[in-house]
Amino acid sequence: MNFSTLFRQLVGRGHTGLTNEVASKEQMAYLRRLEKTVRLARDFDQPFHQNEFVILDIETTGFEALRGDEILSIGAIKVRGNKVTTEQFYALTKIQGWISKEVEELTGITNKEIANAFPLRDVLEQFMRFIGHRPLIAHHAQHERDFLETYYLKCFQKKFQHRIIDTHIALQVCDVTSSVITLDEACIHYQVPIKNRHHALGDAQLTAQLWLALVEQLQEYDINTLEQLYSQYIQR
């Protein structure tokens, strides 16, 4: 039985009474295999047009993962070379706390919705299957990094291994960060139509379009790999 079938049986309507211990063993075995793949991945010196990335956005109850703020939803989309694919991931997560009125209004996610959502551990495991060994990209990625590192450790007692690339680095190398800070401002600067904002998948889609626009400009500067991008960033 593959884990997708097991996952549906554990948390879906087809629940067969399998124990969480069985799921946990399958999850941990997969994550151990994935870690080895990530360590061997050679995305750093591979040309952008030959690389695959996963563009990520996370909606949360607040900004402080270490102080108990929680992940509400994860949205992601794969970019292959210079194209945004139709391969997408989106999931709400069941939280321990309560969504404030302000966050509910901002994200559109209600307490009623998350009451029926999957546990974070299961969502993270499915998310890891979606991204595989691919590096991640996020706008102002420290937010995503903090929450993934905190809750991956809490759920699996393991360190989060994936590279997360911050679009802010590319913006700085492209010399447009003096007035461009937010995702909205970056999208306006690169003429990316803004829609479905503050929805994890919607923001991931916007960031994917932004990333392609940044890559196009980077290539004009003869910057064609992550290695060259980071080298230029360090030299600034």
Side-chain angles (χ1 to χ4, degrees):
M1 178 188 298
N2 62 36
F3 189 82
S4 294
T5 302
L6 178 60
F7 177 76
R8 287 194 296 271
Q9 291 179 339
L10 281 168
V11 297
R13 294 179 179 178
H15 189 347
T16 63
L18 294 174
T19 67
N20 286 332
E21 182 181 356
V22 175
S24 178
K25 288 179 179 178
E26 291 244 4
Q27 288 173 334
M28 297 307 293
Y30 174 76
L31 293 172
R32 281 193 293 270
R33 293 195 300 272
L34 181 59
E35 282 180 352
K36 293 179 181 178
T37 305
V38 171
R39 286 196 294 268
L40 293 172
R42 301 202 173 185
D43 55 76
F44 206 57
D45 58 359
Q46 191 170 13
F48 292 131
H49 70 274
Q50 295 178 8
N51 219 330
E52 290 189 15
F53 300 96
V54 174
I55 315 299
L56 164 72
D57 186 79
I58 294 176
E59 297 297 327
T60 60
T61 61
F63 298 102
E64 301 290 340
L66 292 176
R67 294 187 178 181
D69 289 326
E70 299 181 77
I71 296 174
L72 288 173
S73 62
I74 300 176
I77 185 166
K78 292 178 184 176
V79 168
R80 188 169 295 117
N82 61 350
K83 293 183 179 180
V84 178
T85 74
T86 58
E87 297 174 71
Q88 302 175 351
F89 177 94
Y90 179 73
L92 293 171
T93 71
K94 181 179 289 187
I95 64 173
Q96 301 299 311
W98 196 255
I99 306 175
S100 69
K101 182 178 179 181
E102 292 77 14
V103 172
E104 200 172 72
E105 290 177 350
L106 179 68
T107 65
I109 300 171
T110 66
N111 285 289
K112 183 178 180 180
E113 284 181 298
I114 60 168
N116 299 313
F118 295 139
L120 177 59
R121 180 188 177 98
D122 294 325
V123 170
L124 283 176
E125 195 278 337
Q126 288 295 297
F127 176 63
M128 298 304 292
R129 285 183 175 273
F130 176 77
I131 66 179
H133 62 81
R134 299 168 186 85
L136 302 170
I137 296 173
H139 187 70
H140 289 308
Q142 191 61 50
H143 179 74
E144 279 71 20
R145 183 179 291 108
D146 287 347
F147 277 86
L148 285 174
E149 288 180 352
T150 298
Y151 283 99
Y152 195 83
L153 181 62
K154 185 175 292 187
C155 288
F156 303 112
Q157 292 74 55
K158 300 174 78 65
K159 183 179 179 181
F160 188 74
Q161 299 280 354
H162 278 66
R163 188 193 318 281
I164 305 181
I165 302 142
D166 195 337
T167 54
H168 187 67
I169 291 175
L171 283 165
Q172 286 193 318
V173 172
C174 291
D175 294 320
V176 294
T177 55
S178 58
S179 60
V180 175
I181 300 173
T182 67
L183 180 57
D184 298 85
E185 291 167 337
C187 286
I188 290 170
H189 183 87
Y190 283 97
Q191 300 181 336
V192 174
I194 298 173
K195 55 184 178 180
N196 207 13
R197 191 73 170 87
H198 299 297
H199 182 285
L201 183 56
D203 283 355
Q205 291 168 330
L206 289 177
T207 305
Q209 294 296 335
L210 173 63
W211 171 252
L212 293 186
L214 285 165
V215 166
E216 184 176 348
Q217 186 171 355
L218 289 170
Q219 289 174 330
E220 291 175 0
Y221 297 161
D222 201 26
I223 299 172
N224 298 292
T225 67
L226 290 177
E227 183 177 21
Q228 292 172 338
L229 173 61
Y230 280 100
S231 294
Q232 287 295 319
Y233 177 71
I234 291 170
Q235 293 173 29
R236 290 178 61 81

